[in-house]
Amino acid sequence: MAGSSLGGTEYHRPIITVGSDTYTAQDIIDAAHFRGELPPVWREFLRTIACEKRADEEGREPDEAAVGTAMQTFRYDHDLITAEETERWLAGRDLTLSDFGAYFTRRYWGEALRDGRNGEEIDFFAAPPELRDLFLAELMLSGELVRMAARFGWRVATVAADATHADENKIEVELEALVERIKPLTVTEWCQKVDRDEAWIKKMSRFEANYRLACESALSPQARKREVGTLRLELTMFELEILEVDSLDAAREALFCVREDGMSMEEVATEGRYPLRREQRVLEDIAPEWQQQFLSVTPGRVLEPMESEGAHRLCRVLAKHEPDPDDPAVQRRVEKRLLDRHFGDAMNQHVRWELTID
């Protein structure tokens, strides 16, 4: 079965091809639903729809400057310099400039009216076609469809590589996990709702079982240990005091007060009424142009003023530590690196993108 066809033709757009099999947007979304990834994304979408509706009912107007800045940032991130390039990028996804503007307005209200309210409870597969089409535009513009496709691609590439072979017991475990996720529906009832058959369920379960075996192989203790050693520098942890100021001159004056007058960062913050915060930052998350300064600074010293996206900061390094292999944050980064590399190689060999990604 081809899956639900409640949305428009955009749901039939090819996204990836593996061997002789091409998977559409609908295939990617249905597979994400099978893995339990779709419901939270759908609920967040409905929440933003509710926020926009509330703003309209209350006669509010969005901050056009904020919406415009978000649109410019998107274009910059996607290397869309001209309006013509933006239109071509959108047309390649069956989207228009109107869709583009509506998306950022919706996002604006989703943030501006984030007060804990939930959207209307609407089942994705029972939603009106126009709402499902709007959701697909949301997935396209947010990049979530590409991320879903990549996660699905990891699974089909693993099977295509023929490197792992899950037995029936492991496949059954995945089926049992689905049964738990979809309660109180039965598998048969869920298949009817999704417009898929039980052969598709078995196929998705096999994909998932093989994927988990591949993860276990990629994340062996030996591989983790090697990766921590390789990333020792990149995962150096810094404990920081960060003073936010309103101009470069203010940052220089604050630096003079700390270095020459012996004032503490807290005293400078209090006197200038500047926000001061403490945080931890890993070297690889610091802008490349500043990394060498962080590595060479002695704990306790204040760095030269930093400017990023119009914000000016004064930063004092309180301490720096080598990565702890037992730190959950370090483990998550190591796992991501190992899995990205492992499945990235499989994707390059076996998956062809039908949708231009950037």
Side-chain angles (χ1 to χ4, degrees):
M1 300 177 71
S4 175
S5 58
L6 293 176
T9 57
E10 296 86 352
Y11 275 84
H12 304 299
R13 166 183 289 280
I15 304 298
I16 60 174
T17 294
V18 184
S20 59
D21 296 325
T22 295
Y23 298 94
T24 66
Q26 186 69 64
D27 294 323
I28 300 302
I29 290 171
D30 288 354
H33 200 39
F34 171 88
R35 298 192 302 272
E37 295 174 6
L38 187 68
V41 179
W42 174 248
R43 285 194 297 271
E44 173 61 15
F45 167 70
L46 293 179
R47 188 192 68 80
T48 63
I49 291 289
C51 289
E52 186 175 39
K53 181 179 178 182
R54 174 185 160 192
D56 185 59
E57 290 172 346
E58 295 176 357
R60 299 194 187 194
E61 293 294 331
D63 183 337
E64 296 295 344
V67 173
T69 297
M71 294 171 69
Q72 283 185 327
T73 300
F74 180 96
R75 290 175 56 181
Y76 177 81
D77 290 343
H78 292 76
D79 199 26
L80 303 173
I81 308 303
T82 66
E84 291 76 15
E85 289 173 333
T86 303
E87 288 189 48
R88 282 197 298 271
W89 189 94
L90 292 168
R93 290 154 177 77
D94 294 319
L95 299 172
T96 65
L97 285 174
S98 178
D99 296 324
F100 189 58
Y103 165 72
F104 285 100
T105 300
R106 196 161 55 246
R107 283 190 62 182
Y108 170 82
W109 289 124
E111 289 297 322
L113 301 180
R114 185 177 288 278
D115 57 3
R117 295 189 185 185
N118 296 320
E120 185 179 356
E121 291 190 11
I122 303 173
D123 183 88
F124 172 73
F125 292 98
E130 59 272 16
L131 188 60
R132 285 166 52 91
D133 290 345
L134 190 61
F135 180 59
L136 181 57
E138 182 93 6
L139 295 181
M140 286 278 193
L141 289 164
S142 68
E144 187 58 39
L145 185 68
V146 169
R147 290 188 287 273
M148 286 179 177
R151 290 190 290 269
F152 181 64
W154 283 13
R155 287 150 173 85
V156 293
T158 295
V159 172
D162 200 30
T164 53
H165 303 278
D167 59 29
E168 288 299 318
N169 288 334
K170 292 188 181 297
I171 294 173
E172 187 64 27
V173 167
E174 299 302 330
L175 181 56
E176 290 172 357
L178 173 67
V179 170
E180 288 299 314
R181 287 196 295 273
I182 64 177
K183 283 182 176 179
L185 296 179
T186 66
V187 170
T188 299
E189 290 169 335
W190 192 79
C191 283
Q192 291 173 346
K193 183 177 77 168
V194 183
D195 195 18
R196 296 284 184 175
D197 58 23
E198 296 197 20
W200 180 85
I201 295 290
K202 185 68 175 287
K203 182 179 181 180
M204 293 299 108
S205 298
R206 182 167 63 90
F207 281 167
E208 203 66 19
N210 279 282
Y211 165 75
R212 293 191 191 281
L213 282 179
C215 287
E216 290 176 11
S217 176
L219 299 176
S220 68
Q222 297 85 352
R224 290 172 185 267
K225 184 177 180 180
R226 285 195 303 270
E227 196 69 13
V228 169
T230 301
L231 297 175
R232 184 185 63 81
L233 192 63
E234 289 91 333
L235 296 182
T236 298
M237 176 69 73
F238 295 87
E239 296 181 26
L240 308 172
E241 257 186 342
I242 301 176
L243 183 71
E244 298 277 356
V245 297
D246 50 19
S247 68
L248 180 58
D249 287 341
R252 288 170 176 163
E253 182 179 350
L255 178 62
F256 182 86
C257 291
V258 173
R259 286 185 177 176
E260 304 301 326
D261 295 344
M263 295 176 65
S264 68
M265 295 276 279
E266 186 174 1
E267 289 171 333
V268 174
T270 300
E271 185 174 293
R273 297 184 180 179
Y274 298 128
L276 177 69
R277 68 179 187 275
R278 288 194 177 193
E279 66 178 51
Q280 293 184 328
R281 192 80 63 89
V282 172
L283 182 67
E284 69 175 358
D285 292 341
I286 295 170
E289 62 267 26
W290 291 102
Q291 289 184 3
Q292 189 54 49
Q293 288 200 54
F294 275 86
L295 286 172
S296 59
V297 71
T298 302
R301 297 287 294 175
V302 181
L303 297 172
E304 292 294 318
M306 293 182 288
E307 193 252 333
S308 175
E309 298 180 354
H312 299 272
R313 301 178 180 90
L314 200 63
C315 181
R316 183 163 78 99
V317 176
L318 301 173
K320 53 184 175 181
H321 313 281
E322 288 194 356
D324 177 2
D326 296 325
D327 182 343
V330 171
Q331 291 177 353
R332 286 193 295 272
R333 288 174 185 264
V334 166
E335 288 176 3
K336 184 178 186 305
R337 290 289 192 100
L338 289 170
L339 293 178
D340 284 349
R341 184 162 61 242
H342 176 82
F343 289 110
D345 290 343
M347 289 277 286
N348 289 337
Q349 292 180 46
H350 300 284
V351 175
R352 184 176 75 248
W353 285 92
E354 304 296 344
L355 181 73
T356 302
I357 57 174
D358 42 33

